[in-house]
Amino acid sequence: MSRRRTPALLTAALLTAGLVGCSGPAPVAEPRNPPADPPKSATPAPRVPAGTAPEKSFAVGVRQLKLNRDGDRPLPVTVWYPAAGRAGGAPERSATAAGGRFPVVMFSHGLGGRPDDYATLLTRWAAAGFVVAAPTFPHTARGTEVNVLDVLNQPADVSYALTQVLALDGKAGDPLRGHLAGDRVAAAGHSAGGVTTIGLFTAGRDERLDAGVVFAGTALGVGTGFAGAAAPQLFVHGELDEVVEYAAGKAAYDAVPWPKAMLSLTRGDHGRALLTDGDALRVVSDTTVEFLRWSLYGDAAAKRRIPTDAARDGLATLDNHL
């Protein structure tokens, strides 16, 4: 399939479906850097050495970063992080970071969404010992003039934001100085953010990434040429998804050549399991936390807990090749 046809297919699919909150047609423009076919992966094993994830639950701090890529792509980033203090309360703005170094997870929102829409899930990741950084994209977020084709520019946005976030580890006076494990990094995203995340492992491969979590994603526009060092992938998809068909997510998952698992939500639709605090979100949260504990901390016990967490109460099934 030609690269010229691929953006057209992405536009048709995403505009017709109206991903997460998109209320109408969006203007079409050519992406800055059309994806190219990357080299195939030759690395069979994950890179993160064995270790142990924190057992405690942390308080959560939250802060905002004002970033701008190339001077014309504003990328405000919301950062949730493990904080000192008593766990269980609401995230505290600019709280003191907890002691230790924590892996980083870059999260990409869906079309017409914003990072705060996913705060319940992302604060749970932070409480489990991860720094979560979520850009607000300039042309696909709610409140912008949405352009679906700009999704193809978002993998580069995430890579830029990751560079800026990791730089905080050495920045004098920054609250996160000395607290970021820059050699343990994952990318995650929902819907159009899932497309963005797949792109970070295919056409826009960022070799700093050690793992990926794709919620309701598809490979349209970014391809299934997974490249570079092996990076375990967890796909999460509702079997009743009315926007991105389950089969499209499964096709992308099937193309992953690395350790992988797919959590299928039996009664799940396109997004409510991530946005509404209920039983489905509990299963998604617990499963993704254990996956991140294994893939970023190297915690083998967390890996063994994944099937049990995923299969509870008949809410989901797990195809597990981790």
Side-chain angles (χ1 to χ4, degrees), residues 291-306:
F291 173 78
L292 292 169
R293 283 171 170 162
W294 168 64
S295 60
L296 297 186
Y297 279 100
D299 193 322
K303 179 183 178 182
R304 291 192 295 269
R305 289 192 294 266
I306 293 174

Side-chain angles (χ1 to χ4, degrees), residues 203-278:
R205 179 63 159 111
D206 190 322
E207 287 288 354
R208 295 171 295 182
L209 297 176
D210 300 296
V213 182
V214 177
F215 299 99
T218 172
L220 279 175
V222 293
T224 56
F226 290 87
Q233 302 289 305
L234 173 64
F235 278 58
V236 180
H237 215 117
E239 293 185 12
L240 305 180
D241 194 326
E242 73 287 6
V243 176
V244 177
E245 290 186 359
Y246 178 83
K250 181 65 162 56
Y253 165 74
D254 287 342
V256 175
W258 309 317
K260 61 185 178 181
M262 185 164 186
L263 180 68
S264 301
L265 302 175
T266 308
R267 297 184 295 276
D269 60 9
H270 186 61
R272 279 193 292 271
L274 302 185
L275 306 176
T276 304
D277 193 359

Side-chain angles (χ1 to χ4, degrees), residues 24-44:
V28 175
E30 287 298 319
R32 291 185 176 191
N33 299 303
D37 294 330
K40 296 292 184 181
S41 172
T43 305

